[in-house]
Structures are given as C-alpha cells and as structure tokens.
Amino acid sequence: MLDQLLQFLVTGITVGSTYALVGLGFALIYNASDVVNFAQGEFVMLGAMTAIALLAAGLPLPLAAGVATLLTVLVGLLLERFAIEPALGAPVVTTIIITIGAAIFLRGVAMLLWGKDFHSLPAFSGTTPIQLGGATLLPQSLWVLGLTVLLVTLVRAFLNRTLLGKALLACSFNRAAAQLVGINVRVMLRLAYGLSAGLGALAGILIAPITFSSYEAGVMLGLKGFSAAIVGGIGNPMGAVVGGLLLGVLESLGAGLLSSGYKDAIAFVFVLMVLFFEPTGLFGHKVAERV
Amino acid sequence: MRLAGLYACAAVAAALPILFPDNYFVTVVGISAGIRVILAVGLNLLMGYAGQISLGHAAFFGMGAYASAILTTRHAWPALLAMAAGLAVVGASAWLLARPILRLRGHYLAMATLGFGIIVHVVMVQATRWTGGPDGLAGIPPLNLLGWSVDTDLRWYGVVMAATLLAVWLSLNLADSQVGRALRAVHGSEFAARMLGIDTGRAKTRIFVVSALFAAFAGSLFAHQQGFVSPDSFNLIVSVELVTMVVLGGMASTFGAACGAIALTLLHEGLVVFEDYEMLIHGALLMAVMIFLPQGLFVGLSQATRRLWRAARRGG
Amino acid sequence: MSAIAASSPSPAPLLAVEALEQSFGGVMALAGVSFQVPAGLIYAVIGPNGAGKTTLFNALCGFYAPSSGSIRFDGHELRGLPTHAIAALGISRTFQNLQLFFNMTVLENVMVGCHLRAKTGLLAAALRLPQVRREERRLREWARETLALCELADRAEQPAGTLPYGLMKRIEIARALAARPRLLLLDEPAAGLNDTETLALRELIARIRATGVTVLLVEHHMPLVMSVSDRLLVLDYGSVLAEGTPADIQADPRVVAAYLGGAVHYAV
C-alpha cells in the first residue's frame, strides 16, 4: 500500500511538473498583460510535435529539441504581435475569445501538418525503470523533474534578480506607472509571450516520451496549466508552480485510489473547492503584498 | 414597435419552408440554428446583461438532454414530463452552484465554470450505467404534444422555431424591464447597484438559473429531435462555441446573440466543404472578428451602418 | 437659513453614530467617531485627505464592516446589514469616483435608482404581464420627475457615458434621489466642477433639502460647505476634532490650526 502511494506520488510529481511549467507560462503572460492565454497548451503541443517531426527528419534529439523550442518561441512572438497587441485593453471576454481562436487555429495547423495520429518521442536516456523503494521511476521522469527544477529556478532568478525580470513583474502591478518609469510595455509583452512559449515547448518535449502527443494534446495540458495558475493565485509565478505540483499529485492519487476515469473530474473538483474557499487562489493575496 | 424585430424574425422563419420546400438547409440547418439561438440568447442574459462569464454552459445543455434521454429510454416517461423533470434538475443544480461560483470574478469565474463543464462531461463519459458512456444513448422518442407526434423534419422545424421565438420573446421582455436594468447595473457597477437597493447576489443567482434553464430546454429539444445523445455534443468546445456566439453577435443584445448563433451555425455548414481546413479557418475567423470588430458582428456592423448613414445624410 | 435650522429644538436624530471604529490591518481609519445628524439638516463632514471621511461613508453603507461601535438610523442598527438592506431603509449615496452605469442612458440610470419602488418579479417581467407594463410607465414617470428636479430632463435619452463630467456627477445625484432616500450621502459632489457648476450644485442641494431629504455631505470646497451646511463635523486622523455650526467651526482655534488654515487652497 505504501509502495503504491509512493508510486502515485512519483507519477503525480512528474505530471505536476508539466502543469507547473505551463502554469508558470500563464502567470508570466498574465503579469505582463492581464490576459489569460488559452493557447498556452498549444505551445506545449507544438514543442512536442515539432521535436518529433525534426527527429524523424534526421536531426539528433538535442538539436531537434532546441530548434523545436525556438520555433515555438517564434510562434509565441507572432501570436503576441498579430493577435494580442492589436487588442490591448480589450475586455476580458474578448481576449479570452482571441486566445481561444488562436488555440483552435494552431490546432488546425498541427492537424494539417501531422494528421490526427498519436506520435511519441523516444525517452532521453532509455526506458530501464529505476527502483525507488517499492516504486519504479522512469529515467524520463528524472529528466522532467531535474529540468523543471532548473527552469523554475532560472525564471525565479530572472524575475527577482534582473532588471528586465523586475520590470516584467512591475507591469502587473500598474501598467501606467510602469510606462512612466520608462518600461516599454510592448517589449515586456513580447518577453512574456516568448518566455512562456519556450517554457511550454520544453514542458511538451520533456513529457512527450511518457504521454505521447497529438494535435489535440495541448487542450487538457493547457487547462491543467490554467488550473495550476488559478489555484496558485493568478499572476503569482511561484504560486502557479506549487499549484501545478499539487494538482498533479492529487490527480495521480485520485486516479490510483478512486478511479482513473474520473482523473480529470477529481482535478477540477479540487480547483472548484479551492476557489469556493479561497476566491483568489491559495497564494492570491501574496500578489498584493509583493509591492 | 418594441417587438418589430421579433415579428420580422417570425415572418422569415415562417416564409423559409414555403419559399424553399423540402430544403435541407431550411429544415436541418434551421433546426440546428434554432437550438443554438435558444442557447445563445440564454447565455447572453448572464454574460451580456449581468456581465458574468460562463465557460461551462454546455453542461446545462447536456444535463437537459441527458435527463430527457435517460427518463424516456430507461424509464419510459412521456417526453414532456421528462423535459419538465430535466428543467427542474438543472434549475436546482444551477441554483446550488450559483452562490459560491458567482462570488468569483473575471478569470477565476472563467476557471470555475470551465471546471464545472469538464466535471459534468467526465461524468457523462464515465457513468456508463446511466449515460451509456462514450457511446451515448440512442432510441430517444420524438416529442409528443397532446397526441401530435413531432416526427418529421418539417414538424421539428415548426416546433423548434416556435421555441426559439419564445426564447427570444422572453429574453427581450426581461432585458426591457426593471429586472434587465438591474442586471446591467450589476454589470456596470456592483457598488452602485447595491447602493440602489439591488441585492446583487440574488440578481446574479436568479439570472444564472434562468440562463441554465434556457440551456436545459434547448438540450431536451435537441435530445428528442436527434433521437440520440452522446458526451461529444456537450464538451468544452461546445461551451466555448456558446460564448463565441454571444460575443460574436455582440454582447448585451438579444438579437446580437441570435445573429451570433446563426452566423456560427452557417459557418460550420460552410466550412464542411473545406474539411481539414475547417479548424484553421474557424480559429482565424474568431481572432479576426474579435480584433477588428470587438463589439461583435451584429452590434459592430449596425453601429457602423448608423455612422455611415449619418455621414451620408450630412454629406448629401 | 442655516441659523433657523440650527436654533430650532433638535428632534430625535435621524442618524446616530456611536464610537465607530474601523481598522484595516492595524491601521485605525476611524478611531471612535461619534456624532448625530438631526432630520432635515444639511450636515457636512470635512477634514484633510485621509481623515477618514470616505471610510465613514463606506462604513455607513455597509461596504466595510466596522470593527466596533454602532450606527443607528431611525431606530435601526445598520452594522451588519448588507448594503442593499441599508438602502432599503432609506439611505442613498453618490461616489467620489463616478460609479455611473455607462452602459445605459441617463433615463435608464435614474430608473435603476427607482429599484426600491419596483415590484416586478422575474417571471412577470419575462412574460411582460400587464402590471409590468404599468410599472414601466410609472418608473419612467418617476425617473423623469427626478431628472426635472436635477435639471437633466433634456438629457434623458443620451448614453450616460458620453456626457461631460459635471453632468455625470449630477446624474449620480439624480439616480440616488430616485431611490427616495431619507438620508442622502454626497461624497465630494463639487470635486472637478467649475464655478458655475458649483453654484448650481449649491442650489440643487438646497432644493433637495427642501423636499425633506437630510443630506450628509463630504466636501473639500469650503465656500460651498460653509454656505450650504447647517452643521459640520471635522475629522482628523480618524477622530472627531470639532462639531458645530459653520460659525462655531470657523471660530474654533483647533480647527483653524489643523485644517482651515489650509482652506485657502480650496477657495475658488
């Protein structure tokens, strides 16, 4: 029983890491623009699918992953320039529909390019399971965990230590004031979109060997990432990371102990419960205290 | 004069099958458009007037449909009674859900309604014993109105159009009353609304229930008309489409929402020709309309026409 | 005018605030404020920025939950009541930052103001029963009367968001009046108005009082306050510094030292 719990925990943290990275992307974009980018999950899908395609075209895995990430960043920047910038200051509902439109568009493109089949990426360093007490751990999980820790640490250092990162956070508190002190809000927007597209793509590439990918893979991942950001208190980057891990673990426990079919329902019941008791997420008020 | 638009719509709805008898576009597409208009008009009461987003409205649509499907096929209830039971269940669920969920604002509300929609969808797929699981439920009998069985496309067209016009009439009445003004006040400034004696929590709860009832009514019609329901008709994409209809037509306008619903229905029919490109074009159009006509097709275009008209008169 | 009202024997107060405290995370915004507003007066609350004037209004309206003390309005305790219930007892207000319904016309704004007198149920409205039609006519009539009182009749059909700032402030007053309050709270009604508009506002406030409405006024514009008010309350750092007729206040050395010395800034 204890071994089983450990196994669920390991699986949950692995999946939760992906949610955390996607949620982090949500938080960054929300900070810079007050927009929730519903195309965030599509970045994850594009990263994975592009890497798979490049690998099939003969590129070595590290190069394929790198190029796929850069291409996704480019897509993120294009999305920002041609869909988000023209609608700056529009009501929440309008921006939600624009990013949903973008998500459908990107999904449509992916379907044309790669069809409706599931594709997979080979694991980075084999598939021989590692014994961890009574639980087994795929080497790929170690990649996911290790790189997530690295990426989160880097983003955190960027936000807290660099001028550019601090400027990005400043945007979320008061856009007009940020502009007054000379922060170029458009540059911040591009930075946020580029960064979260990159994070999404990496998350997709990391998880693809475990979960497979298809043109539709981004939908649920995007929603879970959004849930992570909301549970953590939207606009709080580290809250999103915690939210993602929590969500992953709960989902894995729920799937294992209750019913795997209700996995997604369990995740969203958790999100609803959090919101009913903490209407601004678990760490939502900390956002205000950061000033 | 107040209902001139409604009468015009009724005239068009009546004229279409006479002008184009036995036409697939009129009957089949017309029915589908009518059901969507009911959904969009109901959602617009919540979104357009009260300013509360719901990204989970397909759940209420589905609950209405499944209530009819389960009660008629498994328990042999008469169709109208099943419909009434479905409305009661959806009304009660919406009422229970409304208080905690409508305390949330903006993106938190979007997340919560979206989560609710996904939970209901998962239950439809997983609770195989009641819902038939992913395969759905077949063999739902047609509506029977006092012995008159609604079993041809033309009859369905008539019933759905009557239901649609009823929904539009109810929505117009609500919007043009103190109830509607109170809702717009909640949208405009909750502080001020409360200060004028409006119990904003109660107002939001009630319109959430009304909006859910519109969706459940449409769902029941849909189930009896199709004779078959499956979870695919009530997933997240449908919820998103419903929101799109309201925004596409133009918020806080009953006819705007109706136009949005018709436009999206026709778009789907039109895009079928493009097969694999359907998603791509659909997504691109959504973005384009929202960027260039943020007030929506109906409201945006009618304002533009008015401006042009004034400019032309001044010029002439 | 003010001399007569002030010297008449004071009846039971319409509003009695007793030892009201409001703290925000340790900061005392109101530190035990007590005062009474007799019915029929124009009662002004003045004080420097941050003295707690708007906080006082928000506590009266139930937007904030006061930490302790009591607010009695015509025998009812207001503390703990939701805002809409406070409104139903006969209190209405305007806002320092405009809270107009920009998505409606001027007439519709004021019709929302009549909400407390409307009895239309949801179902009746949806079916547009005959009584709803009658009520719509009545609401329209009431709203037009209020607009006429506020000299806004010719603006009825215009979208509220398209009018000049001074008019928008006046619409807020009309909307609040449409609720037929017994106590009207005006939060800086003269802020942002020019001299002509301020004069018109003074006349309007006097007209409102003449209809029997008690007015509680927060205002920085000293000439307006001194000429229109019957009594004044001076707040400073969340406490009452002085209370009395305009003449008392202007002669009070503490007030002069703490506040009125700076009044030149507000003089027109």
Side-chain angles (χ1 to χ4, degrees):
Chain A
M1 184 62 201
L2 212 64
D3 291 345
Q4 236 184 342
L5 274 182
L6 187 65
Q7 184 69 60
F8 297 148
L9 208 63
V10 169
T11 317
I13 293 177
T14 308
V15 179
S17 301
T18 330
Y19 299 164
L21 288 180
V22 184
L24 189 54
F26 269 107
L28 289 176
I29 287 184
Y30 184 80
N31 263 338
S33 61
D34 281 350
V35 170
V36 164
N37 173 30
F38 278 91
Q40 191 70 19
E42 270 44 56
F43 294 153
V44 182
M45 176 272 293
L46 279 181
M49 296 298 277
T50 316
I52 291 166
L54 290 174
L55 196 71
L59 259 63
L61 183 64
L63 194 61
V67 174
T69 307
L70 288 181
L71 281 175
T72 311
V73 169
L74 183 67
V75 171
L77 293 175
L78 289 173
L79 174 70
E80 190 280 331
R81 177 64 193 85
F82 292 107
I84 304 300
E85 255 185 49
L88 271 188
V92 171
V93 193
T94 309
T95 57
I96 287 181
I97 306 263
I98 290 177
T99 58
I100 287 177
I104 298 175
F105 177 79
L106 290 175
R107 234 175 283 155
V109 172
M111 198 186 79
L112 279 180
L113 286 176
W114 301 301
K116 294 185 175 181
D117 298 331
F118 281 88
H119 301 263
S120 91
L121 198 65
F124 294 3
S125 36
T127 50
T128 323
I130 304 161
Q131 284 296 324
L132 193 84
T136 56
L137 183 67
L138 287 171
Q140 188 66 29
S141 291
L142 285 179
W143 276 101
V144 175
L145 296 178
L147 278 176
T148 302
V149 170
L150 180 70
L151 286 170
V152 169
T153 315
L154 283 178
V155 169
R156 205 191 146 103
F158 168 72
L159 290 177
N160 293 335
R161 301 268 159 82
T162 68
L163 206 57
L164 208 56
K166 285 180 184 164
L168 187 63
L169 281 183
C171 274
S172 68
F173 296 126
N174 191 330
R175 192 139 315 120
Q179 221 146 11
L180 275 180
V181 296
I183 296 171
N184 186 334
V185 176
R186 272 163 207 266
V187 170
M188 290 303 126
L189 269 175
R190 281 171 209 166
L191 181 69
Y193 273 81
L195 206 56
S196 31
L199 285 172
L202 284 171
I205 296 167
L206 283 170
I207 200 78
I210 302 179
T211 59
F212 299 98
S213 193
S214 79
Y215 79 105
E216 277 189 320
V219 182
M220 236 342 137
L221 276 172
L223 291 178
K224 295 285 173 61
F226 180 34
S227 306
I230 286 278
V231 165
I234 193 145
N236 180 345
M238 292 309 128
V241 173
V242 176
L245 291 173
L246 257 178
L247 204 63
V249 169
L250 254 156
E251 192 180 289
S252 158
L253 285 176
L257 300 176
L258 301 173
S259 144
S260 61
Y262 282 100
K263 186 184 73 166
D264 292 334
I266 293 164
F268 286 107
V269 167
F270 168 64
V271 174
L272 281 185
M273 284 304 124
V274 168
L275 287 181
F276 287 171
F277 293 103
E278 290 284 335
T280 52
L282 292 176
F283 313 105
H285 31 276
K286 291 213 176 107
V287 176
E289 282 166 12
R290 248 178 2 190
V291 183
Chain B
M1 188 54 217
R2 196 179 69 89
L3 296 176
L6 181 72
Y7 297 143
C9 289
V12 172
L16 279 176
I18 298 170
L19 293 175
F20 308 98
D22 295 322
N23 183 305
Y24 163 85
F25 255 90
V26 172
T27 46
V28 176
V29 179
I31 290 168
S32 151
I35 287 175
R36 282 173 207 229
V37 169
I38 300 175
L39 287 164
V41 162
L43 182 57
N44 176 55
L45 287 172
L46 179 69
M47 263 182 61
Y49 286 105
Q52 312 293 314
I53 194 172
S54 168
L55 278 172
H57 236 54
F60 296 123
F61 180 42
M63 285 164 79
Y66 268 98
S68 280
I70 293 170
L71 291 175
T72 53
T73 59
R74 307 242 156 141
H75 304 281
W77 284 34
L80 278 182
L81 199 60
M83 180 188 274
L87 288 174
V89 168
V90 168
S93 326
W95 187 75
L96 284 176
L97 188 65
R99 281 278 169 167
I101 218 168
L102 292 172
R103 275 193 334 167
L104 306 171
R105 281 160 213 287
H107 291 110
Y108 292 100
L109 181 62
M111 172 80 254
T113 51
L114 201 150
F116 169 69
I118 292 175
I119 293 168
V120 171
H121 183 251
V122 170
V123 171
M124 285 173 192
V125 176
Q126 296 295 330
T128 315
R129 200 139 53 93
W130 294 295
T131 63
D135 299 333
L137 284 173
I140 305 164
L143 265 187
N144 192 309
L145 304 171
L146 306 168
W148 185 66
S149 181
V150 188
D151 49 11
T152 66
D153 278 350
L154 192 62
R155 283 181 181 188
W156 266 114
Y157 178 85
V159 168
V160 170
M161 282 307 136
T164 306
L165 291 168
L166 173 71
V168 170
W169 180 68
L170 291 174
S171 167
L172 286 172
N173 285 347
L174 274 176
D176 189 27
S177 74
Q178 189 64 17
V179 175
R181 275 189 297 275
L183 290 177
R184 279 190 285 161
V186 170
H187 191 177
S189 160
E190 267 198 67
F191 274 153
R194 276 189 226 142
M195 203 59 242
L196 297 169
I198 297 169
D199 182 343
T200 51
R202 183 161 176 264
K204 286 196 273 184
T205 300
R206 289 171 54 159
I207 208 63
F208 188 72
V209 172
V210 169
S211 182
L213 288 176
F214 271 63
F217 177 54
S220 179
L221 283 177
F222 176 79
H224 288 296
Q225 190 262 329
Q226 295 280 313
F228 166 77
V229 291
S230 79
D232 283 352
S233 309
F234 315 107
N235 60 18
L236 173 68
I237 295 169
V238 177
S239 285
V240 169
E241 273 184 6
L242 292 178
V243 172
T244 308
M245 289 172 195
V246 174
V247 182
L248 196 68
M251 298 246 276
S253 154
T254 301
F255 287 115
C259 285
I262 295 169
L264 216 64
T265 310
L266 294 179
L267 182 69
H268 273 298
E269 289 298 324
L271 289 183
V272 166
V273 189
F274 297 99
E275 286 182 53
D276 286 350
Y277 292 88
E278 183 186 341
M279 263 180 118
L280 194 149
I281 298 173
H282 183 191
L285 275 175
L286 271 190
M287 283 194 280
V289 171
M290 281 302 98
I291 293 170
F292 299 114
L293 272 178
Q295 292 147 305
L297 280 175
F298 179 77
V299 176
L301 286 179
S302 60
Q303 278 176 2
T305 329
R306 231 172 289 150
R307 266 199 305 276
L308 275 179
W309 171 243
R310 244 180 271 137
R313 265 202 317 197
R314 235 180 287 127
Chain C
M1 177 164 71
S2 50
I4 298 166
S7 62
S8 61
S10 64
L14 183 65
L15 180 75
V17 174
E18 199 47 55
L20 192 66
E21 284 188 11
Q22 175 81 55
S23 69
F24 296 107
V27 181
M28 274 289 188
L30 295 174
V33 171
S34 303
F35 66 98
Q36 298 192 338
V37 180
L41 296 202
I42 296 175
Y43 193 98
V45 180
I46 62 171
N49 281 322
K53 302 176 305 272
T54 296
T55 307
L56 174 67
F57 268 24
N58 286 342
L60 289 181
C61 297
F63 288 164
Y64 298 154
S67 330
S68 69
S70 89
I71 308 165
R72 293 191 72 78
F73 175 73
D74 193 28
H76 300 273
E77 175 60 51
L78 299 189
R79 256 189 83 195
L81 287 185
T83 302
H84 61 88
I86 291 173
L89 288 174
I91 297 183
S92 198
R93 77 174 277 187
T94 65
F95 297 84
Q96 194 181 336
N97 304 313
L98 280 179
Q99 298 284 330
L100 269 191
F101 308 129
F102 294 106
N103 48 352
M104 298 187 212
T105 66
V106 174
L107 183 70
E108 285 172 327
N109 263 277
V110 180
M111 282 171 84
V112 175
C114 300
H115 191 80
L116 286 163
R117 282 180 279 166
K119 289 171 190 64
T120 298
L122 186 79
L123 197 63
L127 299 173
R128 205 161 180 91
L129 299 178
Q131 77 249 31
V132 177
R133 248 171 276 177
R134 279 197 296 275
E135 184 167 276
E136 279 289 293
R137 268 200 303 275
R138 227 175 304 138
L139 289 174
R140 213 164 286 261
E141 237 167 72
W142 285 332
R144 285 195 189 281
E145 279 168 22
T146 313
L147 283 177
L149 177 75
C150 299
E151 293 171 337
L152 284 166
D154 50 333
R155 305 285 188 168
E157 302 301 333
Q158 293 181 4
T162 60
L163 296 174
Y165 185 74
L167 284 180
M168 291 205 225
K169 296 206 79 154
R170 190 167 270 253
I171 299 167
E172 264 207 356
I173 297 179
R175 189 180 67 183
L177 272 182
R180 296 234 176 125
R182 280 184 294 162
L183 177 65
L184 176 65
L185 277 52
L186 299 176
D187 197 351
E188 299 200 16
L193 300 192
N194 62 30
D195 295 353
T196 343
E197 286 170 333
T198 308
L199 275 177
L201 173 69
R202 190 168 75 185
E203 281 166 26
L204 177 59
I205 295 176
R207 271 207 303 278
I208 291 170
R209 193 256 296 269
T211 65
V213 177
T214 309
V215 177
L216 190 58
L217 172 73
V218 161
E219 187 49 66
H220 279 307
H221 193 292
M222 281 309 132
L224 173 70
V225 171
M226 292 302 170
S227 64
V228 81
S229 317
D230 300 306
R231 290 189 79 82
L232 280 86
L233 178 77
V234 188
L235 287 182
D236 197 21
Y237 294 108
S239 309
V240 176
L241 190 64
E243 205 266 358
T245 62
D248 298 341
I249 296 298
Q250 278 164 315
D252 191 317
R254 282 171 309 164
V255 178
V256 173
Y259 181 58
L260 281 182
V264 265
H265 298 303
Y266 303 107
V268 183

